[in-house]
Amino acid sequence: MQNKIVTLALQGGGSHGAFTWGVLDRLLEDGRMAFEGISGASAGAMNAAVLSHGFNVGGREGAREALAAFWGRIAIKEPFSFLPPEMMPGGTSLLTQTTPAAMHAFLAMTRFFSPTQLNPLDINPLRDILEEQVDFDRLRTRSTIKLFIAATKVSTGTLKIFRDRELTLDALLASACLPSMHRPVEIDGEAYWDGGLTANPPIFPLLHLCSSRDLLVVLLHPCSRPGTPTSTHDIGQRLSEISFSSAFFTEVGGLALAKREAESGMFAFGTLERRLKRLNMHLIEANDLMSQLDVMSKLNTKRSFIHGLYDEGRLAAERWMETHFHTVGLKSSFDLGRYLQ
């Protein structure tokens, strides 16, 4: 069986990244696609790095095992373990999430106190998990999958892409550094915040630095919501979604325009123009599901919630393969034209 070669762009979204774990697990299990490159921000960056590490060690099954081990640790390791027990996040089922009043109070405190004040020891359980489970030296020197990890420069508000050959534990943590929750991650004298602020996920590295004609995006934030938010809670939730999706929509809008211009010409003289004409876009998402989840459920690391999202991701990947796999290598299964104004 000949593999179809694709690149992956993985969106960030806290514990909602378990949905992407499910998607990746099903694609790896199916075995008909090979990954030339993967870009990611925040949780998408974690999935990208862990998958690549596992693939380096044991191929497809190694990648599946590495992802399962990582999310297994996330499901029992609370991201707010520096808080007293009564302030830990919780939930009931996948679509009936309840957030304790203490957590609302803590998040309200982040508006008045800095991460240094709330977490003076700078405790980050994610650091321990990644340090134990990812061989960064091996990733930098022996990676067979190109990695493009997004972070945001605090000083300029611009995007920084860490490639596999320069990927470190700090670079990966920088990609998931929420400004209100953790201190900036300093690398070579530069401070970094969450990559989702400037590219969620980054698309252009896959276009410029990979040769595959097919790009598969896995989205976590709902692309649209019915109605107009009126309560302070709903307004805040929608603002959060927009802030972590706007960079993606802007980049995809520019890509759609460039692709339209490239296709309108009879001849393609430049390398980029030829790439744009050949580019096929694909999308796996769960808009209906994600639009029902509270934005604070991104902090929910209950095992039932994590594995529920994983199951939903596998189902979404299965549905996409049944409907669109035959288009890979031939045409887009996602209409970029809807982003053209």
Side-chain angles (χ1 to χ4, degrees):
M1 177 177 60
Q2 185 176 6
N3 289 331
K4 294 187 177 184
I5 301 174
V6 304
T7 56
L8 297 174
L10 309 179
Q11 196 170 57
S15 63
H16 292 185
F19 173 85
T20 304
W21 165 35
V23 170
L24 297 174
D25 186 69
R26 185 65 190 92
L27 296 179
L28 288 163
E29 181 184 57
D30 180 77
R32 289 179 291 171
M33 287 194 292
F35 309 137
E36 180 189 1
I38 310 176
S39 72
S42 195
M46 305 298 149
N47 278 318
V50 171
L51 184 155
S52 182
H53 161 76
F55 194 89
N56 288 346
V57 173
R60 292 179 181 277
E61 286 306 311
R64 295 182 68 196
E65 291 171 7
L67 286 166
F70 173 76
W71 285 101
R73 285 292 304 278
I74 292 292
I76 61 174
K77 196 91 168 182
E78 301 289 353
F80 302 104
S81 60
F82 55 86
L83 297 179
E86 65 271 15
M87 294 185 69
M88 302 293 267
T92 52
S93 68
L94 195 58
L95 293 178
T96 57
Q97 293 301 302
T98 58
T99 306
M103 179 51 63
H104 284 281
F106 171 76
L107 292 174
M109 289 169 60
T110 63
R111 288 184 248 164
F112 303 100
F113 298 95
S114 71
T116 302
Q117 294 170 307
L118 289 173
N119 183 13
L121 299 179
D122 197 24
I123 297 172
N124 187 351
L126 190 57
R127 174 179 288 275
D128 298 332
I129 295 173
L130 292 170
E131 199 166 29
E132 292 171 8
Q133 297 197 1
V134 177
D135 185 340
F136 287 93
D137 288 334
R138 185 167 182 159
L139 266 185
R140 286 191 296 271
T141 58
R142 299 172 58 184
S143 179
T144 57
I145 299 174
K146 298 175 184 177
L147 291 178
F148 307 97
I149 303 304
T152 301
K153 290 185 179 181
V154 177
S155 61
T156 62
T158 55
L159 172 66
K160 164 67 177 178
I161 295 291
F162 292 97
R163 298 183 61 180
D164 38 82
R165 62 172 178 264
E166 56 186 347
L167 189 59
T168 63
L169 174 59
D170 281 340
L172 199 54
L173 289 172
S175 185
C177 179
L178 287 172
S180 61
M181 308 294 292
H182 295 287
R183 303 178 194 179
V185 177
E186 188 169 309
I187 302 171
D188 296 331
E190 185 76 53
Y192 293 95
W193 277 335
D194 195 301
L197 296 169
T198 47
N200 196 18
I203 300 297
F204 78 89
L206 302 174
L207 183 64
H208 288 275
L209 300 172
C210 294
S211 58
S212 169
R213 65 185 302 169
D214 289 86
L215 194 162
L216 173 58
V217 183
V218 182
L219 291 186
L220 298 179
H221 294 278
C223 292
S224 62
R225 278 186 180 272
T228 302
T230 55
S231 69
T232 55
H233 173 271
D234 290 345
I235 291 170
Q237 173 153 309
R238 191 60 186 142
L239 281 174
S240 175
E241 291 170 349
I242 290 172
S243 66
F244 279 96
S245 299
S246 59
F248 169 73
F249 292 135
T250 299
E251 189 172 9
V252 170
L255 178 61
L257 179 60
K259 183 172 173 60
R260 185 182 69 178
E261 292 301 309
E263 290 174 341
S264 65
M266 185 174 298
F267 303 103
F269 297 101
T271 301
L272 180 58
E273 191 175 6
R274 289 194 296 271
R275 286 278 290 129
L276 286 167
K277 292 187 75 168
R278 296 174 64 246
L279 178 67
N280 300 321
M281 287 283 293
H282 311 279
L283 180 70
I284 296 178
E285 61 178 338
N287 196 83
D288 291 344
L289 169 66
M290 295 303 178
S291 64
Q292 296 179 66
L293 296 179
D294 189 279
V295 67
M296 282 194 291
S297 67
K298 296 176 184 178
L299 307 179
N300 185 353
T301 56
K302 283 179 67 78
R303 180 178 294 274
S304 59
F305 184 65
I306 294 294
H307 284 270
L309 285 170
Y310 162 81
D311 291 338
E312 291 293 332
R314 280 185 58 89
L315 286 173
E318 181 68 35
R319 288 193 294 266
W320 180 83
M321 286 190 294
E322 289 178 354
T323 307
H324 299 299
F325 180 79
H326 68 280
T327 67
V328 177
L330 300 175
K331 62 180 181 179
S332 294
S333 61
F334 168 65
D335 180 18
L336 267 176
R338 75 191 206 189
Y339 291 100
L340 287 172
Q341 298 298 319

